[in-house]
Amino acid sequence: MKSSHLNIIADENIPALQALLGPLGTIRTLAGRSMTAADLAGADVLLVRSITRVDRALLAGTPVRFVGTATIGTDHVDQVYLQEQGIAFSSAPGCNADAVVEYVLTVLYNLAAEQGFALRDRTVGIVGVGNVGSRLQRRLQRLGVRLLLNDPPRQAKQRENATAESFVSLDTLLDEADILCLHTPLVCGGPHPTQHLLGVPELARLRRGAIVLNAGRGAAIDGAALLEIARARPDLTLVLDVWEHEPLVDPALLPLVRMGSPHIAGYTLDGKIRGTHMLYQALCRHLGLSEPAPLQAFLPAPSVARVEAGAGLTALELMRLLYDPYRDDRALRATLGVAPAERGHAFDRLRKEYPVRREFDTLAVAGHLEPSLAEELGALGFRVELS
């Protein structure tokens, strides 16, 4: 692959492409869900997000020699085929993990205020303790929240390495957790599949009044089973950022969901640009080019960078400055008002036109903060400037 001038095809929702990769060649952006092999004629590099299936059907007969996905997950990429064809591959592990964690924390704080409980008084079960789940674990531990962790592949690896992390069975987690957070990749076979990990038997075990939050992969929950349980168990609170048959959302299920969103949990500007930057670094390494400029050189200044705290300030008020999950919920529900044939396009349009959202560490909080609030804000990820 020539490094002097590359032909790059990229998902239109990958940000900062021109700023980062423009010097390397010509960039053409396309809708990720509808890319075809014909689109890749003459392409040296293909950059995608999770909605593009990258396999023989897409790549056979094309000159593509480097594939990158600006996402943590890689289940949409046939890496065995890429290896067989000698096509270099890179993903962006951890790029938007903090964004997903902050989505989860903001949702849980909103629900706590709405339902009248304190998060520290609830038991949170995390299914999938990878890039996202482990970061959520660390922040919740700093907040003093009791946790239950389930991750069979990591548990098996722990036994091999004799490490001390404590895991529980899925049944134990379902029986004891007040809040269930799903952060698994989609695994369809092997010893630890996650497709339809939760069906009717598993969902029926949930504690009365439990919260179920899925910001991993939609198919980790059997959609038909979830609809059945949601109808039978109005005591449950459902939060879905991902859906089994995206971009289609079950019009019977959405009204039973307390908060829904169009697969945008990781859609902070920081996370998306970080993903692009990681692919840029990987492509530079592949081409033998010098190390690119650091990420900070490409991140714009936040619109709200510093807050002077007054009496009575709460963490939730600061979260709401940066993100309102109810806005995403309203936008998704509005798609049910369009013609059924257009709902998938409306779902994708919400992702394409997603407003700017920044991460917690872009906001500094100053003023005379109560020690307990300062500790809480630090645990959540805000920058605290003590007077």
Side-chain angles (χ1 to χ4, degrees):
M1 182 167 62
K2 297 178 181 178
S3 60
S4 56
H5 188 90
L6 302 176
N7 288 318
I8 302 169
I9 298 294
D11 186 300
E12 62 189 0
N13 289 336
I14 299 177
L17 283 167
Q18 195 58 46
L20 281 159
L21 281 77
L24 300 181
T26 301
I27 302 170
R28 185 161 67 100
T29 59
L30 301 170
R33 207 178 295 279
S34 58
M35 283 186 187
T36 67
D39 294 323
L40 304 183
D44 302 301
V45 174
L46 172 63
L47 305 179
V48 300
R49 292 187 61 82
S50 59
I51 62 174
T52 303
R53 176 66 186 166
V54 180
D55 54 14
R56 179 185 299 273
L58 182 65
L59 295 177
T62 75
V64 171
R65 305 313 299 162
F66 181 96
V67 170
T69 180
T71 59
I72 296 175
T74 59
D75 49 74
H76 55 293
V77 179
D78 185 345
Q79 295 184 59
V80 173
Y81 174 74
L82 296 187
Q83 189 171 15
E84 290 174 350
Q85 300 302 309
I87 300 172
F89 173 68
S90 183
S91 62
C95 67
N96 64 350
D98 287 326
V100 178
V101 168
E102 292 171 8
Y103 162 90
V104 172
L105 292 170
T106 303
V107 165
L108 294 182
Y109 265 67
N110 273 280
L111 290 177
E114 187 178 291
Q115 299 180 5
F117 67 84
L119 187 55
R120 64 180 176 275
D121 296 331
R122 294 292 188 265
T123 296
V124 176
I126 302 175
V127 180
V129 194
N131 272 306
V132 174
S134 62
R135 297 187 196 206
L136 179 61
Q137 173 194 359
R138 289 193 290 272
R139 295 208 207 186
L140 289 174
Q141 283 175 331
R142 289 188 62 188
L143 290 167
V145 177
R146 178 174 179 254
L147 298 175
L148 296 171
L149 307 177
N150 173 260
D151 193 318
R154 289 181 182 273
Q155 187 173 12
K157 187 176 294 186
Q158 170 186 278
R159 292 194 191 102
E160 294 175 4
N161 299 331
T163 52
E165 189 70 83
S166 178
F167 292 96
V168 301
S169 69
L170 181 60
D171 285 347
T172 297
L173 186 148
L174 294 170
D175 289 342
E176 298 184 16
D178 302 299
I179 300 168
L180 168 63
C181 296
L182 281 171
H183 298 292
T184 68
L186 182 61
V187 181
C188 298
H192 304 296
T194 62
Q195 186 177 31
H196 288 187
L197 183 66
L198 301 186
V200 169
E202 293 78 21
L203 294 167
R205 297 183 73 117
L206 290 164
R207 300 187 66 174
R208 180 164 184 80
I211 295 169
V212 178
L213 189 158
N214 189 4
R217 286 292 185 264
I221 304 180
D222 181 335
L226 185 59
L227 178 60
E228 178 181 335
I229 293 295
R231 285 171 169 164
R233 295 276 308 271
D235 62 290
L236 299 177
T237 299
L238 306 181
V239 178
L240 299 180
D241 178 59
V242 290
W243 308 80
E244 184 173 11
H245 301 296
E246 291 179 20
L248 301 179
V249 173
D250 186 343
L253 179 60
L254 181 54
L256 303 176
V257 171
R258 181 62 192 93
M259 271 192 251
S261 48
H263 201 155
I264 48 70
Y267 263 38
T268 60
L269 181 64
D270 312 74
K272 289 195 287 186
I273 294 180
R274 188 179 295 114
T276 311
H277 188 262
M278 291 172 74
L279 295 187
Y280 176 39
Q281 289 178 307
L283 183 55
C284 286
R285 288 193 297 270
H286 178 69
L287 297 172
L289 301 177
S290 58
E291 184 71 15
L295 172 66
Q296 294 303 320
F298 302 96
L299 288 175
S303 57
V304 179
R306 189 174 184 274
V307 170
E308 188 74 20
L313 177 73
T314 66
L316 180 55
E317 288 177 297
L318 292 174
M319 290 175 168
R320 286 173 172 166
L321 278 178
L322 298 179
Y323 177 51
D324 175 14
Y326 295 106
R327 189 212 71 85
D328 287 334
D329 178 76
R330 291 190 298 271
L332 183 61
R333 289 180 198 278
T335 66
L336 295 184
V338 305
E342 295 299 318
R343 288 175 188 163
H345 297 299
F347 184 96
D348 283 342
R349 190 161 56 249
L350 291 177
R351 291 163 56 85
K352 180 180 179 180
E353 300 172 359
Y354 196 68
V356 171
R357 178 176 131 218
R358 301 304 297 269
E359 294 178 3
F360 289 176
D361 67 359
T362 64
L363 182 62
V365 187
H368 297 283
L369 298 171
E370 291 292 329
S372 59
L373 178 59
E375 183 178 358
E376 180 183 15
L377 295 179
L380 287 168
F382 292 97
R383 289 184 292 115
V384 178
E385 299 177 356
L386 295 176
S387 300

